[in-house]
Amino acid sequence: MIRFPFLDFNYEFGYLYKRLQEICGRVIDSGRYIGGEEVTGFEYELGEFIGSPCVVGCSNGLDALRLIFRGYMELGLLRPGDEVITPSNNYIAGILALTDCGLKPVFVEPDPATYNLDWTLVEDALTNRTRAIMPVHLYGRACPVPAKWKEQFLIIEDNAQACGARVDGKYTGTLGHAAAFSFYPTKPLGALGDGGAVSTDNPELAEVIRALRNYGSDRQYHNIYRGLNCRLDPIQAAMLREKLRWVESDVRFRNLKVDIYNMAIENPLVVKPTIPADRRESMWHQYVIRVVGGRRDDFRKFLLEQGVETAVHYPTPAYLQPCYKEEYGHLSFPIAERLCDEVVSLPMSKATIVDDAAKISEIINYFE
Ligand SMILES: *Cc1c(COP(=O)(O)O)cnc(C)c1O
């Protein structure tokens, strides 16, 4: 029997159920089902929340990334064949967005202590085609952007997993030049379907992306770009306006559980995530441990027998996926591949209360 589910949407939305129903009614009554006040309202509120001057809502996180790359291409700041540095353990979406736009991902190993891009390795990956760097705030852990790199290259943050995280008080999504958000239901700020957004401090880029997401038109029936249809649904925007109000308390709740896990888990086969001094600033979308000694599958089976559901983010690096076999299948990144073999995500959703984290830790300590 599952005592500790990895995710439980009934629980997740339960406390907001009535509120979300009312909001749905509000959108139905408005008669406005594409664009409109819910979308512009959400864009404004997300911008206020993270401290970004320009937020453009869109259809999902992958499209947010594609819109950023397409936008920079329309502005002449990126060209087909340009290289973009990104961590070797990145989720597939960022790589798909790059190759879709004719850009070339150049992989750099992550720091195994934080799972985030290891900036000390960036220097060696530079070529005369390097134009941008795409750090990922993976698992909701804020990846600081050194000023040195921001001065030289376009920094595009993949902020899909970290809405609400901060570095020195500055929200992720405002650390680079542009950032992509995903509002996939499981993400820190999740809709009741697909959704996404781009944030940027560059009003020109924002304007291009506003047009690109809507057939490339700057006004009705006037197309200045060969655009896409990547609009944010007003029902989702309305849901997100409500859910945005809960992000801050969710950050605190997640950090509390991280404290419990990190204090209570004590097992020589388990490597816990390191907590840097700025730990309060991470969102902890996932709490990811490593199980060493080739025992990951045994560990997950043991936990499941005790009623604890776990997940693996992710079992295969993007560059080894069948769709990239020809271009990148020959590459090898030992740290990324070791992470794929060792990582386990523990329950961290709203359904996991602090007491559960203590009980799950106790079960983990019995594994041998
Ligand atoms: C979820 C996710 C995306 C893509 O978001 P979708 O809304 O599912 O398209 C991109 N990058 C990362 C790191 C993600 O976790």
Side-chain angles (χ1 to χ4, degrees), residues 60-62 65 91 93 136 158 160-161 182-184 187 194-195 314:
N60 57 58
L62 172 58
L65 289 162
Y91 179 58
V136 186
D158 183 335
Q161 302 189 0
S182 165
F183 307 124
Y184 184 83
K187 301 291 161 94
D194 277 312
Y314 302 91

Side-chain angles (χ1 to χ4, degrees), residues 38-317:
E38 299 291 356
V39 174
T40 52
F42 170 67
E43 290 173 339
Y44 176 79
E45 286 156 24
L46 180 61
E48 285 280 291
F49 177 72
I50 61 169
S52 171
C54 314
V55 171
V56 185
C58 67
S59 38
N60 57 58
L62 172 58
D63 284 344
L65 289 162
R66 289 168 71 213
L67 286 167
I68 292 171
F69 296 129
R70 286 282 306 268
Y72 278 129
M73 287 177 141
E74 295 294 351
L75 290 175
L77 295 173
L78 286 177
R79 286 187 187 80
D82 282 350
E83 294 179 0
V84 180
I85 290 175
T86 197
S88 51
N89 63 330
N90 193 352
Y91 179 58
I92 188 90
I95 315 308
L96 292 173
L98 286 173
T99 57
D100 185 60
C101 294
L103 298 164
K104 188 174 170 223
V106 172
F107 300 100
V108 163
E109 290 268 55
D111 175 345
T114 62
Y115 309 113
N116 277 331
L117 180 69
D118 185 345
W119 293 92
T120 64
L121 303 176
V122 168
E123 195 85 50
D124 288 337
L126 300 178
T127 74
N128 57 5
R129 300 283 333 237
T130 311
R131 293 286 173 276
I133 305 175
M134 174 167 54
V136 186
H137 305 293
L138 197 67
Y139 311 142
R141 301 195 59 171
C143 178
V145 176
K148 165 186 164 185
W149 296 114
K150 192 173 170 182
E151 282 155 21
Q152 293 180 60
F153 297 101
L154 293 173
I155 306 287
I156 295 137
E157 298 168 73
D158 183 335
N159 197 34
Q161 302 189 0
C163 180
R166 273 156 289 194
V167 174
D168 297 329
K170 219 168 143 39
Y171 281 85
T172 58
T174 66
L175 307 179
H177 300 102
F181 289 71
S182 165
F183 307 124
Y184 184 83
T186 62
K187 301 291 161 94
L189 174 57
L192 277 77
D194 277 312
V198 172
S199 65
T200 177
D201 58 5
N202 179 347
E204 250 189 302
L205 178 69
E207 208 175 294
V208 176
I209 289 176
R210 262 178 220 291
L212 281 174
R213 76 169 167 183
N214 189 32
Y215 307 123
S217 61
D218 56 347
R219 53 178 202 271
Q220 206 176 17
Y221 306 130
H222 189 259
N223 303 74
I224 49 175
Y225 310 114
R226 298 177 187 187
L228 303 158
N229 177 354
C230 295
R231 299 178 294 237
L232 176 61
D233 186 311
I235 290 193
Q236 298 307 339
M239 301 290 161
L240 289 164
R241 293 176 82 175
E242 175 63 27
K243 293 200 74 201
L244 184 60
R245 300 169 48 219
W246 297 83
V247 169
E248 207 63 68
S249 64
D250 195 29
V251 174
R252 289 199 295 274
F253 184 38
R254 283 168 183 273
N255 274 281
L256 202 57
K257 286 182 281 192
V258 168
D259 279 349
I260 302 293
Y261 275 139
N262 260 40
M263 212 156 34
I265 296 174
E266 202 81 60
N267 186 323
L269 290 167
V270 172
V271 182
K272 294 176 277 188
T274 55
I275 305 205
D278 66 358
R279 64 194 172 132
R280 293 291 157 202
E281 319 229 324
S282 282
M283 175 67 203
W284 296 99
H285 170 55
Q286 305 292 357
Y287 179 85
V288 178
I289 57 171
R290 289 194 286 123
V291 179
V292 297
R295 301 291 308 284
R296 198 244 318 261
D297 294 347
D298 297 339
F299 175 85
R300 294 190 67 208
K301 191 163 160 265
F302 173 80
L303 256 62
L304 194 59
E305 281 163 7
Q306 307 297 317
V308 184
E309 263 184 328
T310 58
V312 171
H313 301 102
Y314 302 91
T316 309

